[in-house]
Amino acid sequence: MRILLLAATVAVAGLVGVSSTGADNGQLVGSVGPGFGISLKDSSGVAVKHLAAGTYTLLVHDLSEEHNFHLSGPGVDVTTDVLFTGDQTFTINVTNGTYNFICDVHSTTMHGLFTGGTTAPPTTTTPTPAAKPLTLRVGPGRTLTAPATLAKGRYAITVRDASAADNLHLKGLGIDRKTGVAFKGQAHWAVTLKAGSYRVFSDAHRLLTRTIRVS
């Protein structure tokens, strides 16, 4: 009787050991910045397209004060702050469905997705070329900075307006974007530049102007 009881105890202990080993989290690594890139990879460095349902540890490398990393989907909604830079760790529970990761400031150009559980992986498509970063400046003082030439294509523009007396106005070929004259700070525009000429100027002082030739 004592031998049977000892055998049963050993068997139960073995089952408990197996169960605890299977509870380890999977590791995911998210990254955003310092340019206009955002990614989510598994522990081996492969881009995530599909995950089995379960619990995962997500380590985010946030490398820019102009972007954030925001992951959302069924049962998951985690994000870093736009002004935050550094590493942040989250525990997420993936189930059936589609999950999106984006930069909230540039959601039209910085985004990705994956599926979880029984939801089929996303269909592979030809990726859209990434938007090129471009910085335009007005101020401090009566100054305006813009490149003289650019290649045509999609651009993620950061406007740095350091003047309360001038604004920055970009106009040409279907684009008419501007900051306010009294505004000081940053603005972010997603635009497509076509072959031709674009003007960058101040509405308050029209002699403060630059021309960008796109080809």
Side-chain angles (χ1 to χ4, degrees):
M1 183 69 178
R2 186 172 296 177
I3 293 174
L4 291 175
L5 183 59
L6 179 60
T9 302
V10 171
V12 170
L15 288 173
V16 170
V18 170
S19 176
S20 62
T21 302
D24 292 342
N25 290 357
Q27 177 74 49
L28 305 174
V29 179
S31 181
V32 61
F36 283 76
I38 188 168
S39 65
L40 180 66
K41 299 180 180 180
D42 62 21
S43 57
S44 62
V46 177
V48 173
K49 298 300 181 183
H50 181 81
L51 291 174
T55 302
Y56 293 83
T57 298
L58 168 63
L59 171 62
V60 175
H61 302 305
D62 190 328
L63 307 175
S64 173
E65 293 182 351
E66 297 181 357
H67 307 306
N68 71 329
F69 189 98
H70 186 179
L71 172 63
S72 61
V76 174
D77 190 1
V78 296
T79 182
T80 61
D81 292 330
V82 173
L83 296 179
F84 169 82
T85 58
D87 290 349
Q88 200 162 347
T89 302
F90 306 93
T91 298
I92 62 172
N93 293 303
V94 175
T95 184
N96 303 334
T98 299
Y99 294 81
N100 295 275
F101 54 95
I102 65 171
C103 165
D104 289 310
V105 181
H106 307 96
S107 59
T108 59
T109 56
M110 299 175 65
H111 55 81
L113 63 83
F114 66 90
T115 55
T118 59
T119 303
T123 303
T124 301
T125 58
T126 302
T128 302
K132 305 180 186 74
L134 172 63
T135 300
L136 304 176
R137 293 182 173 87
V138 60
R142 197 62 48 79
T143 61
L144 191 151
T145 304
T149 60
L150 286 172
K152 63 183 178 180
R154 297 168 58 241
Y155 285 85
I157 297 177
T158 298
V159 178
R160 301 186 186 277
D161 189 332
S163 172
D166 288 295
N167 69 331
L168 191 142
H169 193 159
L170 172 64
K171 189 172 184 178
L173 299 175
I175 296 175
D176 191 357
R177 306 291 297 270
K178 60 184 176 180
T179 60
V181 172
F183 169 81
K184 291 179 69 175
Q186 292 189 22
H188 300 276
W189 303 333
V191 302
T192 299
L193 300 182
K194 302 176 182 178
S197 295
Y198 293 80
R199 287 185 62 224
V200 182
F201 59 94
S202 166
D203 289 304
H205 301 93
R206 290 301 183 103
L207 293 180
L208 187 61
T209 182
R210 299 287 184 273
T211 299
I212 302 176
R213 301 195 183 280
V214 179
S215 58

